[in-house]
Amino acid sequence: MKTARWHGVKDIRVEDIPEPKPGKGEVKIKVAWAGICGSDLHEYLAGPIFVPVDEDHPLSHDKAPITMGHEYCGTVSELGEGVTDVAVGDRVAIEPIFACGTCPACLEGKYNLCDTLGFVGLSGGHGGFAAYSVVPARMVHKMPDQLSMEQGALVEPAAVALHAVRLSRIKAGDTAAVFGAGPIGLLVVESLRVAGASEIHVVEPSEVRRRKALDLGATSAIDPTTQDAVAAIRAATGGVHVAFEVTGVPQVLPNCIDATRHEGQVLVVSIWESEASFQPNSVVLKERQLQGTIAYRNVYPAVMALMTQGYFSADQMVTKRIPLDKIVAEGFEALVAEKSQVKILVEAPD
């Protein structure tokens, strides 16, 4: 079958590999759509970050070259021995987290904080940039009938955003700032609307993405190349209750901190390619809180329920649809060159 596999930095190849078979407790999925994630782009431009290269990942038992793609959905085509929770023909969204189940975080139910955390399509396994995928049955979530397959490919990134907002201290009526209006940043805007934020100020250099943020309910969309974003946010709010860092750009982190009020909170959502620095006094003197967030846990059903209410709409988020064999030129390279792109979906081959 055709797959897109990571071999190294700027070396993703569309190539044929054997079609996978489900083992005990596993499910085989005919992939429909898979999204290109910011994490995928980091691996393409500056990896390996999650991709295991020298040794197999302890949970996927796989290493480069790996089939990429972790934001995906499809139809169950075959069941491994002992699988009873889903049936052939079910439409499913994939929750692609590898977790050991035995470390302290896993035993607390916080499997996204697993000591050996991994992701299908980043840490090995049968990723979604392929005709078929095989995953453990616990990773599949049946989709409501009213959701399209394109919506299914957005469940994973929407889960990242909703988990970040749930982890924050935002309360109905509070103010918020979102630095970065890529796909996750825009989904954070929608999640903040769900949470009842009274004002949502977005900072983003791309005009197309700023317009999209306003369409999705942002109060303002600030171009940091033409004005002082922190000053604008503080003039409007006196400092927001919570700021979300969704850029991974080192100089943005101190701006996020400065945009919050006393006892404000910063949620760091990005995956980083390099170090970032800030003056600790900016946190100390205002008793601010700096909080990290990774992936999601126990949130897929809530995401899909919100989707049935019109949130996290593919019609709003998807700016391009491409075939798998064009994934490098029209997918990864387009995301590098065209900041007008938001979410690019890859259609699985037959």
Side-chain angles (χ1 to χ4, degrees):
M1 66 173 184
K2 291 284 186 189
T3 63
R5 307 185 84 203
W6 188 96
H7 285 260
V9 172
K10 289 211 164 185
D11 186 8
I12 292 174
R13 306 175 198 173
V14 177
E15 53 194 8
D16 283 302
I17 66 169
E19 196 174 297
K21 299 292 184 183
K24 184 177 180 180
E26 293 183 328
V27 175
K28 182 176 180 179
I29 297 130
K30 175 65 184 79
V31 179
W33 293 96
I36 301 178
C37 176
S39 298
D40 297 325
L41 195 59
H42 286 307
E43 297 289 357
Y44 178 66
L45 295 173
I49 298 170
F50 286 107
V51 176
V53 173
D54 296 324
E55 298 180 358
D56 285 359
H57 187 276
L59 300 179
S60 74
H61 309 295
D62 199 2
K63 65 180 180 181
I66 60 129
T67 301
M68 297 191 75
H70 61 278
E71 301 180 353
Y72 67 107
C73 65
T75 303
V76 175
S77 64
E78 190 177 343
L79 302 177
E81 180 188 345
V83 177
T84 58
D85 291 343
V86 292
V88 171
D90 283 347
R91 301 179 321 129
V92 293
I94 310 307
E95 182 176 0
I97 288 182
F98 287 122
C100 71
T102 58
C103 72
C106 282
L107 292 175
E108 291 177 19
K110 298 176 181 176
Y111 55 89
N112 62 317
L113 306 182
C114 177
D115 287 346
T116 48
L117 176 70
F119 297 89
V120 175
L122 286 172
S123 310
H126 302 289
F129 293 151
Y132 289 91
S133 171
V134 166
V135 296
R138 60 178 170 76
M139 292 187 181
V140 303
H141 294 259
K142 286 190 277 189
M143 292 167 49
D145 291 341
Q146 57 266 55
L147 294 187
S148 70
M149 279 299 200
E150 288 192 3
Q151 284 295 149
L154 288 180
V155 175
E156 198 275 349
V160 173
L162 189 63
H163 175 70
V165 171
R166 281 182 158 191
L167 201 62
S168 79
R169 300 190 311 201
I170 198 84
K171 298 188 296 296
D174 283 356
T175 56
V178 180
F179 285 74
I184 299 298
L186 292 170
L187 292 163
V188 167
V189 169
E190 286 207 85
S191 298
L192 285 165
R193 285 178 50 218
V194 172
S198 61
E199 296 181 38
I200 307 168
H201 299 275
V202 172
V203 181
E204 168 59 50
S206 163
E207 181 183 358
V208 171
R209 290 177 172 184
R210 288 198 305 274
R211 287 201 305 268
K212 185 68 71 176
L214 293 170
D215 290 344
L216 292 174
T219 308
S220 74
I222 302 160
D223 181 354
T225 67
T226 63
Q227 66 181 120
D228 184 329
V230 173
I233 291 168
R234 295 194 68 84
T237 65
V240 293
H241 293 85
V242 184
F244 294 80
E245 196 296 313
V246 207
T247 70
V249 176
Q251 58 266 37
V252 172
L253 181 58
N255 291 338
C256 276
I257 295 168
D258 292 340
T260 63
R261 70 199 296 272
H262 64 276
E263 296 185 320
Q265 184 188 37
V266 173
L267 265 289
V268 182
V269 187
S270 300
I271 299 297
W272 295 73
E273 295 177 5
S274 59
E275 292 184 357
S277 63
F278 64 93
Q279 166 52 263
N281 284 344
S282 64
V283 174
V284 172
L285 296 178
K286 291 295 183 179
E287 293 191 351
R288 291 166 165 139
Q289 182 187 68
L290 196 61
Q291 171 85 47
T293 173
I294 179 69
Y296 33 75
R297 58 178 178 262
N298 305 315
V299 76
Y300 264 48
V303 168
M304 292 188 287
L306 288 168
M307 283 181 167
T308 66
Q309 298 175 31
Y311 291 99
F312 314 130
S313 167
D315 291 340
Q316 290 276 7
M317 296 294 299
V318 178
T319 50
K320 194 175 185 181
R321 298 159 182 84
I322 62 173
L324 182 69
D325 59 3
K326 301 290 181 65
I327 192 171
V328 175
E330 295 187 16
F332 285 94
E333 287 296 332
L335 287 169
V336 173
E338 305 167 23
K339 296 308 178 188
S340 59
Q341 297 293 344
V342 179
K343 178 57 66 180
I344 295 178
L345 291 188
V346 179
E347 187 171 19
D350 293 331

